[in-house]
Amino acid sequence: MPSTITAEKAALRTAALAALEGLSPQARRDSDRALFRAFLALPQVGQASTLLLYCGMGVEPDTRALFSPLWEAGKALCLPRCLPGNQMEARLVQPTDPLIRHPYGMLEPDGDAPLVTPAQIQLALVPGLAFDRAGGRLGRGGGYYDRWLTAFSGLRVALCRQAVLFDALPRLPHDLGVDLVVTETDLYGPSAFIPSESGA
């Protein structure tokens, strides 16, 4: 029953948040470094010319640390911008562009940043409170990414702290997972063992 799954997901959100908040600041920093090192080493990141990232907040990985190395590698970076009706869009950002804090707390581009369509993006870094080994994702419940991802055909990647990697998460029909889950020590998901196009 959807109501049962909804209740289960709500309980898992509470448990995942508690697990993340229980990590010490040093443990989070160590986790961030390992996650970012693994992400930047992905051959799919090397192959992508345009990526969608996000600004981590609270207990999430501080993904802003990825921006400079990716810009230095010549990548075009986009960030999500929330729209009415729980919709979102991707906007191109440059190192000097201002970011605005959304009422939910995350930083996002303003409306003057160039709009980028899903078809122009090869890789999207997708946030979540928890993930499972098959690529299942537990978001915060707003559905912004589930809606945006329906039009996205590129690679969906997640950074997941080992503390919130589950064997399996409940899913509803509209819940979209990711292709690749990056933890501090390993890769999971449908694309974890698929060779890159370059054969790397």
Side-chain angles (χ1 to χ4, degrees):
M1 294 288 292
S3 59
T4 302
I5 293 178
T6 300
E8 187 179 354
K9 287 168 69 174
L12 284 169
R13 284 190 187 97
T14 300
L17 201 53
L20 291 170
E21 290 174 343
L23 297 174
S24 70
Q26 185 60 52
R28 287 184 205 165
R29 286 192 293 270
D30 291 344
S31 170
D32 281 5
R33 280 194 291 270
L35 290 169
F36 300 158
R37 185 166 54 245
F39 177 78
L40 292 171
L42 291 174
Q44 297 95 330
V45 170
Q47 293 160 5
S49 59
T50 303
L51 301 87
L52 176 73
L53 269 66
Y54 63 89
C55 291
M57 62 177 184
V59 292
E60 294 175 341
D62 188 3
T63 50
R64 286 174 294 177
L66 291 168
F67 294 6
S68 289
L70 290 170
W71 275 320
E72 289 167 6
K75 309 297 183 182
L77 299 187
C78 308
L79 290 176
R81 182 170 180 265
C82 293
L83 301 173
N86 290 45
Q87 304 286 335
M88 72 176 227
E89 62 187 9
R91 297 272 177 170
L92 186 69
V93 291
Q94 304 292 345
T96 57
D97 287 350
L99 297 177
I100 298 167
R101 192 164 297 280
H102 187 274
Y104 289 161
M106 65 281 198
L107 292 171
E108 62 178 21
D110 63 27
D112 293 329
L115 182 67
V116 181
T117 67
Q120 295 173 291
I121 299 170
Q122 292 82 49
L123 187 151
L125 188 60
V126 181
L129 281 175
F131 295 86
D132 66 28
R133 296 170 187 269
R137 170 180 172 265
L138 183 68
R140 293 181 179 268
Y144 288 89
Y145 276 85
D146 287 322
R147 293 178 178 87
W148 186 86
L149 287 169
T150 59
F152 178 67
S153 60
L155 188 75
R156 299 168 293 186
V157 182
L159 301 178
C160 178
R161 302 194 196 282
Q162 202 76 40
V164 286
L165 178 69
F166 288 79
D167 288 334
L169 290 169
R171 289 202 207 190
L172 290 169
H174 64 267
D175 291 332
L176 295 180
V178 297
D179 304 303
L180 191 59
V181 178
V182 178
T183 72
E184 296 92 335
T185 59
D186 216 335
L187 303 177
Y188 300 91
S191 295
F193 303 106
I194 297 175
S196 67
E197 292 179 2
S198 67

